[in-house]
Amino acid sequence: LSQTVLMQTASVISSLNGVYVGMTKVEVKDVLGKPKMSDQTSLNYTFSKTVTAQIGFDDKGKARTIAVIYTDGDDAAPKFSDVFGPDVPLVEGKNGGVYKLIRYPSAGFYIAYSRTMVSNKAMVVITMRKIIVR
């Protein structure tokens, strides 16, 4: 699983690496296998030296946050347009940094894309998180 698998429904990503908001720990383990580390509230996976994932769970044991981290530049990470589609403009900040968060209330989550430069290599973090309605 060196690449994040992005699934889209009506131009909205619905999962990262086959894991989606609302899955139980057992369901996540069925998809991703045994985690590198785990505790009561999270599972942590290492897919390679440069690709990791963290899945955080709410108090009901459902996945609330899914983050996939790429630390070896842009080549391994999904492109911005793969995450948000071709109609969302890419706006780069100083030093090539990018941050974009889009809420999908009807789907019940948001997606955030962050790219920062670390030692002349891009680090990309793609996060999916359940929207909490209070």
Side-chain angles (χ1 to χ4, degrees), residues 21-74:
V21 169
M23 290 178 85
T24 65
K25 283 185 182 180
V26 170
E27 291 170 327
V28 171
K29 289 177 184 178
D30 284 347
V31 172
L32 299 179
K34 182 179 177 184
K36 179 83 170 176
M37 296 182 344
S38 66
D39 60 26
Q40 295 287 42
T41 61
S42 68
L43 299 174
N44 298 288
Y45 288 87
T46 300
F47 302 121
S48 70
K49 286 183 179 181
T50 61
V51 182
T52 61
Q54 300 172 346
I55 296 98
F57 296 86
D58 62 19
D59 57 358
K60 294 179 182 173
K62 303 285 186 165
R64 179 177 178 202
T65 306
I66 304 153
V68 183
I69 303 101
Y70 300 85
T71 58
D72 194 28
D74 287 329

Side-chain angles (χ1 to χ4, degrees), residues 111-123:
I111 298 283
Y113 179 99
S114 173
R115 182 177 75 205
T116 55
M117 298 305 289
V118 178
S119 300
N120 295 326
K121 285 194 176 185
M123 180 174 79

Side-chain angles (χ1 to χ4, degrees), residues 13-14 18 71 103 117 121 125-126:
I13 295 169
S14 61
T71 58
R103 289 175 178 81
M117 298 305 289
K121 285 194 176 185
V125 179
I126 301 171

